[in-house]
Amino acid sequence: MPTELAKTFDPASTQEQALRLWDEHNAFHAEPTDPGKPYSIVIPPPNVTAALHLGHAFNNTLQDILVRYHRMLGDNACWLPGTDHAGIATQTVVEKRVLAEEGKRRTDFKREEFVAKIQAWKDQYEARITAQLKAMGCSCDWQRQAFTMDAPRAKAVREAFFRLFKDGLIYRGKRLVNWDPVTQTALADDEVEMEEVDGHFYYLRYPLTDGSGHVTVATTRSETMLGDTAVAINPKDPRAAALRGKRVILPIVNREIPIVEDEYVVMPAQYGGDPDDPKAQLATGFLKVTPAHDPNDYEIGRRHNLPVINILAPDATISDKHGWTDIGEAHFVLGQPSEHARKLVVDWFKRNGLLEEIKPYRHSVGHSYRSHVAIEPYLSDQWYCQVTEPRMAGAALRAIADDQFEGRKIPGKADTWDGGMRFFPSRYARTFQSWHENIRDWCISRQLWWGHRIPVWRLPEGRLGERLPLAQFEAIVEKLAQWQADGRIALTQRAERDQARSVDIADRSLPYTFACVHDPNDREVIDELERHGAAQDPDVLDTWFSSGLWPLSTLGWPEETPELRTWNPSSVLCTSREIITLWVSRMTMFNIHFRNTLPFRDVFIHAMIQDGHGQKMSKSLGNGVDPMDIIASHGADAMRFTLAHMATNTQDVRMPVDLVDPWTGETFAPKYVTDSAGYMVAAPIQESPKDPSKKMVSSYGLASGKIKPTADMPLAKNTSSKFDLGRNFCNKLWNAARFVLSNIESAPAEAPDESKWSLADRWIISRFNRTVAETDDVLKNYRFDQVARAAYDFFWRDFCDWYVEAVKPAMRDPSRAGQTANVLAAVLDGALRLLHPIIPFITEIIYHRLNEIRPTRGLPNRLECPHSGISTQHSGLLIKAPWPNVGSFAEAAEHIFPNVQEVIGVIRNVRNELKVPPKQKVDVYIAAPPEPTRQLTENREMIEVLATVNLKDVHPDLTAPAGAVRAAAAGVEVFVHPGQPAVGDTNLAEKRCAELKKLADTLRGRLSNDAYTKKAPPHLVQQTRDQLAQAEAEIDKLGCG
RNA sequence: GGGCGAUUAGCUCAGUUGGCUAGAGUGCCAGCAUGACACGCUGGAGGUCACAGGUUCGAGCCCUGUAUCGCCCACCA
């Protein structure tokens, strides 16, 4: 550790030193037995798919500010870090990588081999993510680092699944799922993104079997007609009666299908439909019903008991191998991808004179959030968690704090849950609420290899009892019954829809039975099951199942550990709004169901960082910024400060992205192009602004995968000039600290004597106290921008611009330097504490140096500031130092100091107008009423130094000196004598006169309005009168014509 | 289709229950290498608060409507 602060601020070495100090003291670690009020945050575990981006940096900076703040407050603060295995996302990334590098597909490997590859990827990125978080200064308790698939978390998942299974909240159902044909897995509803697509409306004719004509159906997906099992018409449609009981012949496959009547069908306008309904304008009144490939049709099929015919293979090609037998003439589409089949089918209709019309149509189609291909509604067997149950969604609704609940709340026991969960900003409570009011059961199985294997063994299809000798079968049944009674297994049967069916063990045939095994090491049970042909379900659980347990599993659940008792519920969840439904919901339901506690008391939803065009930052657009690049170019503290400063109350914040020219190191705005999806993206190849012959690759070029940077054409890193704000601030802090420290060091040590404090001393201490109070206040509502602003204004504007400048003469005067140094040391100490949660590295290192120079500091607790707010308690480390108490305020000083500031401002203004050289002192005379005269005289030195003047005279009856320029401020008259022939505008008083007259007119207008004087609050009216009087007095004094 | 948010200085944003002549940072202009800092200091210019109505003594803020942008939710042929 260097004993002096380096001449220029070097973020890298500062970061390194601070990290070492914290590490040596194990400063981030907490134990449940530690003193203090419990305060805990569980990190939203980043996916191990990729390195962290700026959004993560934002999210984690805010959490770290909270944790550091509460640690300083004396709370027992613990931040639990970890990562998420992110099933589908990670597997997809690795599959792509393996295909690109080895030319092999997942299916070319054994399951264990491929999982090992993903595991290797996970290890690599988990390490990288951890390194990034550490570099950002995140004070996570690294001894408690978790991963959603490590052993303790696997145990929690297993326990949770078993309990839900036993409680009848998990069931097997054949349902239409969102099928991703590329990754070949089911997706949850919220993993599907709607995208606008240009398509067509095809009008297809289906002949009636009796030869009396045809009906025309309209569809955007003509290929699904192969699986049609009915045509529906609205019973109110006037044509319905004539068609009742008739059937149509389905072209191509020659399947006879009924015409059914269902109110769901939209009628065209001419048959009674709503003419304003855009759908009515496209509709023919006849709806083809394809239960296997459309969610609505599936419902119609249920209502009319229609067969369900699946025509697709899992890869979304047309196939007769998955439940479709009557293929008729459809050989020509077999094996075709559905999109191509769509055209082939239309061509067939055209050739056979059955195509009536094609209309262009733009509509939204579900796409996989992972592979971005169109989702196929696909019929398959999946596991569901019955979140529609009152025990789940109902509990989540009851968890909402009463005053954030819209409408009448179902009576519940929110009062046992600390008054409920609060959202910040409160509007997000409604997102949460309406999600649970409209929730549907959650499909929790995924056809992946990377994830928690579903701990269910399927007994062989059919009735086990029919396959075994009776005695043997009876023995199994006895065993199963005993194991179930002992809690070693739970049994269920497949339910067609919507509910779990418990197994009646007395029904000795055991049809379609599933056994969930409680303990993964219970070989006796597993071996016995497998001996009879039972096999473990090959699927894994949805990632969000393990994430949903995160607040519990990170603290050792299902064991009721001291950690769990201390830190659950956690204090706050910090996250972005996109996962309120995906994640917050599930944590709430699980935490309540398993432990009857909230997962967290507060939910803070922060803004989303977009690029300069209002687009989400994403890898594929290449507009994402790597926090490590910012740390390298600006420093970690600078990044944190800027991010905190951006954390406003709104939904989105914009971060215009610049590029760093690798040739010159300079920053420039990239050239943009519009990509095929309409996004503004940086042109793949950029020119150096200095030398257009030098080219570079933008990160969009890199992300598009086509362009690889080379030595001749290097990569231009993303950055943003927004971080200059933080960098400048840190630089200012560093230099101000250097100055203050060197002054303190050379000042004589004296016992603090408050009677010797100047106006500036009292003022800066009072301002400090205000800033602490404001920070405390504003942090309760998670307004990090206001915290950053308050700290910035206090430190730069008040402390550096005014206090340090005002105090310079005193520091040069040995008789006063000792006392001033006391105040300087105390205020610097306080400022470091105040700033530490936002910019921990730089403050820790400066604090270290301050401790060396002034091991004891603090202010006497009496007179005008009986409580300075600046603690005398010290600690070796700032991270462990107490947060300042709010001291009292020096009202008088806060009132007088601005007057002096204003006088100084006016003099500076006049000097500038008169073009007086900066170093040249000028003579100043001030005419003021007795009280201001006293104040100004007392602060003569400050005025002289800060305005570079000789304050010749201050007097109530001062007469204007010849040749002086007259100006006015704070109710006083200022005469500036340039001492040489003045250059520029010498008639400043006239300018001021114009301003004053305009103001006086406004005020007079307001007062002449009777309604105003009668209705406005009296203090405002009085204030207006006072202002007018003051303006008029000044006008009078200046002799404004 | 429903809901939410945004629209304030060239740019990025503050503006807390309506009440000074609407603020900051950055950029711009002018001056300054002043013994902490040029990542700095001093001063300055720059805004019909998206638009149209309304409520009020008083509207950037509240109400109604319009426009543009963004996000979330929704099984819309």
Side-chain angles (χ1 to χ4, degrees), chain A residues 468-759:
Chain A
L468 291 172
L470 186 64
Q472 207 178 331
F473 177 71
E474 300 249 305
I476 296 171
V477 169
E478 286 310 317
K479 273 186 186 167
L480 290 178
Q482 189 56 50
W483 288 338
Q484 175 149 275
D486 294 347
R488 289 166 76 177
I489 59 169
L491 299 171
T492 188
Q493 289 172 337
R494 188 176 75 200
E496 279 311 314
R497 49 181 69 99
D498 294 2
Q499 56 194 353
R501 199 193 307 162
S502 60
V503 171
D504 180 3
I505 206 83
D507 176 0
R508 302 261 152 134
S509 59
L510 291 184
Y512 304 107
T513 298
F514 298 95
C516 178
V517 180
H518 194 172
D519 179 356
N521 299 314
D522 194 343
R523 291 314 314 177
E524 188 194 353
V525 167
I526 294 169
D527 290 346
E528 180 74 8
L529 286 169
E530 292 184 348
R531 194 162 55 238
H532 295 291
Q536 186 174 4
D537 194 300
D539 293 354
V540 300
L541 286 167
D542 178 12
T543 282
W544 299 106
F545 192 92
S546 50
S547 315
L549 293 165
W550 191 242
L552 292 169
S553 66
T554 47
L555 294 169
W557 187 86
E559 256 58 75
E560 184 67 16
T561 58
E563 281 83 356
L564 200 58
R565 276 195 295 272
T566 305
W567 287 312
N568 178 269
S570 63
S571 308
V572 58
L573 176 78
C574 301
T575 191
S576 62
R577 65 182 177 283
E578 59 194 353
I579 55 177
I580 292 173
T581 54
L582 237 37
W583 190 42
V584 183
S585 157
R586 282 146 195 177
M587 286 191 285
T588 309
M589 293 190 291
F590 278 178
N591 216 108
I592 291 173
H593 187 253
F594 291 121
R595 200 167 177 269
N596 195 28
T597 52
L598 298 175
F600 20 73
R601 296 194 175 85
D602 290 353
V603 180
F604 166 59
I605 304 291
H606 60 246
M608 183 139 64
I609 299 186
Q610 302 175 329
D611 69 9
H613 305 282
Q615 300 164 162
K616 220 183 206 176
M617 285 196 173
S618 83
K619 249 196 151 175
S620 54
L621 293 183
N623 57 359
V625 176
D626 183 346
M628 297 308 270
D629 289 346
I630 302 301
I631 292 173
S633 64
H634 289 76
D637 286 318
M639 180 177 78
R640 292 171 58 113
F641 185 87
T642 303
L643 291 173
H645 199 266
M646 288 171 67
T648 61
N649 221 358
T650 52
Q651 265 190 178
D652 312 300
V653 286
R654 286 188 187 197
M655 169 86 65
V657 174
D658 296 324
L659 295 183
V660 180
D661 184 340
W663 301 102
T664 65
E666 282 173 23
T667 303
F668 67 99
K671 293 202 167 70
Y672 284 94
V673 295
T674 306
D675 78 354
S676 55
Y679 287 105
M680 293 286 284
V681 295
I685 296 176
Q686 302 275 336
E687 293 171 353
S688 173
K690 283 279 155 62
D691 178 359
S693 71
K694 296 202 162 160
K695 312 278 188 207
M696 63 196 91
V697 181
S698 77
S699 50
Y700 173 70
L702 185 70
S704 68
K706 288 175 194 129
I707 306 168
K708 288 246 161 77
T710 60
D712 292 339
M713 195 162 72
L715 178 69
K717 284 182 178 171
N718 284 318
T719 186
S720 174
S721 60
K722 285 205 90 171
F723 293 107
D724 293 353
L725 168 71
R727 185 197 55 191
N728 295 353
F729 183 68
C730 290
N731 189 257
K732 189 72 179 177
L733 171 60
W734 185 262
N735 283 294
R738 276 205 313 133
F739 178 74
V740 169
L741 290 174
S742 73
N743 274 283
I744 294 170
E745 204 172 13
S746 56
E750 278 178 34
D753 180 356
E754 201 164 322
S755 66
K756 292 183 178 162
W757 285 2
S758 67
L759 171 71

Side-chain angles (χ1 to χ4, degrees), chain A residues 90-109:
Chain A
T90 313
Q91 180 169 317
T92 310
V93 170
V94 175
E95 279 184 44
K96 269 190 196 155
R97 166 68 71 90
V98 169
L99 185 62
E101 290 184 354
E102 303 176 36
K104 289 184 180 170
R105 297 183 179 280
R106 167 170 58 117
T107 42
D108 296 332
F109 297 90

